[in-house]
Amino acid sequence: MGSAPSAATSVHELDIDLESAQSPSASPSLSDSKSHSPPPPRPESRASTTFAVPVVPKHLRRGLFARFALIPETPQPTLYTRRTKWSITALIALCAAAAPMGSAIIMPSLLIIASDFNSSPTVTNLAVALYMLSMSIFPLWWSSFSETLGRRTIYVVSFTLFVLFSILSAVSNSIGMLIVMRVLSGGAAASVQAVGAGTIADIWEPRERGRAMGIFYLGPLCGPLFAPIIGGALAQGLGWRSTQWFTAIYGAVVLAALIFLLPETLRQKEVKMPEAKEEKERPSASLRRTTTAVSVVQGTKRTAAILRRCFLDPLRIILLLRFPAVAITVYYASITFGSLYFLNISVEETFSDPPYGFSTLIVGLCYIPMSVGYILASVGGGRWLDHIMKREARKADRIDADGKLIFRPEDRMRENAWMSAVMFPLALVWYGWSAEKHTHWIVPLIANFFFGLGSMIVFAMATTMLTEFMPRKASTGIAVNNFVRNIFSCVGGIVAHPLIKALGNGWLCTILAIVALISGCVVIWAMKHYGDRWREEMDRKMEDW
C-alpha cells in the first residue's frame, strides 16, 4: 500500500483526452511535452490524441491486492480515457447501491421478522432505523482513513466486512443479533457514500463532474427502487432470511469487481526527501543513546498519535459545518433527503392499506415513477449542471493563462436550483392531498415522478458542490453531508408512521413542502450573494486542515 514515487513509474501508451492532458493538474512529465503546442481554441474542445502517460508498476501500486487490478494505476487519474472513467464511475455507482439496498430490502418483511422472533413492530423497526444511523456515523471514519490509506483499500476492507455481516444477519437467532449485525453491515457498506464521491472527484475534471456525479448518484437512489420489489418477492417465496443472503451475494460480486477493476485513484502526496548533505551531518543519529524517560515519552507520543488518528481525526470532519457554504448546502440536501424518506414510508403505508390494498410486490412497483424521475435527472441534470458552470465562467470572463475556464462551486446554483426548489415541494403537496383523498393511484404516482426529478437535481448539485469546496479532500465534504442527512432520514423513519397517523398525508406533506420551499429559496439566495466570500474565507482556513 505504499505510495509509488514518481521516479519509479513506467511509461505506457494510453489514449487520453487532449483537454485533460492540457489541464493544469497534469503531471510535470506531460507539461514539458505540451509546452510547445498551442492551447485549444476553445476550453471545451474534445479532441483526442495519444500521449505517453506514466503508469505505476505493479509492484509499486497502492491498495490491497493491487497487483490483481486490470486497470493500471496512474499518478494522474484525470488522464484516463473516457471509457475507463465511465467504467470506474459505473462500478462505484453499483457499490453505492449496496447500503440503501440493504436498508430497503428488509422493509416488506418486517412483520414476518416480528412474528418470527416474537418481538414488537417498534423493536423490529430498529433494524431499519439504526441501520440508517450507522450509515451516517461510519462514513466519518471511512472518509478520514481513505485520505491516507487510499480509496481501493477502504473499498476492499469495507465490502469484505459487508459480506461477513450480511451473512451473520441471515443466520441471526434473535432480534438483538439481527439488529446489531445489520448496524455493522450498514456501516460497512456506507463507505461508498463518502469515499465514492471522492473517487469521482479524483478522475473527473470539474467541467464534467456534474454529469459524472449524477450517474454515480443513480446507485444510492435506484437501490431503494429495486430493493422493495426484490425483498417482497424473496420474503414471500423463501422467507426473510433470503433477503440478507441476497445482500451478501451482491456484496461478494461487487467485492470481486473492485479487486479486479478498480485502480487506486487518490493523488499521491509529494514527500520531500532529505538532502544527502543533511544525512552526512548526522551520521551517528541512529547510534545515539536514548534514556528510558525519553523512550517512554516518544512511545507515548506515538500511541497518542495513533489514538488521535483512529478516534479524533474522523470526528474533526464534523467541524466543517462551521463554514457557512458547507453548512447551508448540507442543510438543504438533508431537508430534501428527509422528505424522501417520509415519502417512501408514506407510499408503503398508503398503498398497502384500503382502499388501495395492494400486495407487497405491487407496493414495491409503486416506487418506479419516483425512480424514473431520479434517472432522468441524473442523466440530463448532470449535463445541464456542467453547461451552467461553463456558461457562468464565460459570462464572468474567468479564463486562466492556459485558456481554461475557471469554475466556482457556487455557480452550480442557478436556474436549475430554483426550478428544483419549487418542483419537489409542489410535488409533495400534490402527492399528499391526492393520497389523502384516495384518488386513482396514478395521480399520486405522477406526483412522485416530479418529486424524484426535482429532488435528484438537489442531490447531484449539493454533492458536486461539496467535492469542489474541498478539492484536496473531496470525500470529507461528502462524509459530513452523509452524517447529517442520514440522521435526518433515521429520525424520519422513526417518526413518519405516527405523524402520518396523527396528521394524515395531506397536512404532513404540506408542512414538509413549506419547510423545503423556504429552505431552498433562502439557501439559493444566500449562496448567490455570499457564496464567493464564504468560499474564499474557507479556502484560507482550510490551508492548515
Side-chain angles (χ1 to χ4, degrees), residues 132-133 135-137 334 337 481-493:
M132 297 302 302
L133 186 62
M135 287 176 60
S136 73
I137 298 174
S334 299
F337 204 70
N481 182 42
N482 287 328
F483 175 74
V484 176
R485 76 173 193 178
N486 282 320
I487 289 178
F488 273 63
S489 64
C490 175
V491 173

Side-chain angles (χ1 to χ4, degrees), residues 118-404:
N118 195 27
S119 63
S120 66
T122 303
V123 173
T124 307
N125 285 339
L126 293 177
V128 176
L130 295 183
Y131 184 101
M132 297 302 302
L133 186 62
S134 70
M135 287 176 60
S136 73
I137 298 174
F138 280 74
L140 297 178
W141 274 263
W142 293 127
S143 173
S144 178
F145 294 154
S146 76
E147 298 295 343
T148 53
L149 300 178
R151 319 292 193 200
R152 179 183 170 90
T153 296
I154 295 301
Y155 288 133
V156 172
V157 170
S158 63
F159 269 84
T160 300
L161 294 175
F162 175 66
V163 172
L164 173 62
F165 292 132
S166 295
I167 293 174
L168 292 176
S169 297
V171 299
S172 296
N173 53 19
S174 68
I175 187 64
M177 179 180 177
L178 176 64
I179 292 173
V180 171
M181 291 302 107
R182 277 186 52 79
V183 166
L184 295 176
S185 65
S191 63
V192 197
Q193 306 299 307
V195 183
T199 301
I200 303 302
D202 292 340
I203 63 177
W204 289 99
E205 297 281 355
R207 62 181 174 274
E208 297 179 305
R209 196 172 294 164
R211 183 185 178 194
M213 202 67 71
I215 299 300
F216 160 71
Y217 238 93
L218 281 177
L221 289 175
C222 286
L225 162 65
F226 299 107
I229 302 173
I230 297 172
L234 289 174
Q236 287 183 1
L238 301 173
W240 69 266
R241 295 182 188 273
S242 62
T243 63
Q244 302 307 292
W245 284 112
F246 179 87
T247 58
I249 294 171
Y250 183 89
V253 172
V254 169
L255 177 61
L258 288 169
I259 291 175
F260 291 106
L261 299 178
L262 183 70
E264 179 56 64
T265 60
L266 181 68
R267 295 289 181 87
Q268 299 184 37
K269 296 182 179 180
E270 295 182 0
V271 180
K272 186 176 181 180
M273 302 301 293
E275 298 290 340
K277 182 178 179 180
E278 294 177 357
E279 293 294 325
K280 292 179 181 179
E281 291 176 354
R282 296 175 297 190
S284 59
S286 61
L287 302 177
R288 191 178 301 147
R289 289 189 176 185
T290 303
T291 64
T292 302
V294 174
S295 178
V296 170
V297 171
Q298 292 176 347
T300 303
K301 288 182 177 180
R302 284 194 296 269
T303 303
I306 294 174
L307 293 176
R308 183 187 65 189
R309 184 74 184 88
C310 294
F311 297 102
L312 296 181
D313 284 356
L315 296 176
R316 289 179 64 229
I317 294 175
I318 302 176
L319 297 178
L320 291 172
L321 292 173
R322 75 184 190 273
F323 300 118
V326 174
I328 67 172
T329 303
V330 169
Y331 165 76
Y332 188 32
S334 299
I335 288 292
T336 308
F337 204 70
S339 301
L340 166 64
Y341 268 79
F342 270 103
L343 189 60
N344 282 343
I345 293 176
S346 175
V347 167
E348 182 182 8
E349 293 192 1
T350 300
F351 291 103
S352 60
D353 293 339
Y356 299 105
F358 294 160
S359 66
T360 302
L361 185 59
I362 301 301
V363 170
L365 295 176
C366 290
Y367 291 93
I368 290 180
M370 195 186 309
S371 297
V372 171
Y374 295 150
I375 294 172
L376 291 179
S378 295
V379 175
R383 189 188 296 271
W384 186 22
L385 203 60
D386 293 332
H387 167 74
I388 291 174
M389 286 281 284
K390 295 176 183 178
R391 185 196 67 199
E392 294 300 317
R394 293 193 200 100
K395 186 187 299 182
D397 198 26
R398 295 195 302 265
I399 302 178
D400 62 14
D402 295 326
K404 304 286 290 181

Side-chain angles (χ1 to χ4, degrees), residues 79 101 261:
L79 302 184
M101 180 182 292
L261 299 178

Side-chain angles (χ1 to χ4, degrees), residues 350-351 356 358 365-366 368-370 427 430-431 434-435 438-450:
T350 300
F351 291 103
Y356 299 105
F358 294 160
L365 295 176
C366 290
I368 290 180
M370 195 186 309
W430 177 357
Y431 165 82
S434 61
H438 304 306
T439 60
H440 190 277
W441 57 267
I442 194 65
V443 178
L445 292 189
I446 292 176
N448 287 354
F449 164 79
F450 288 103

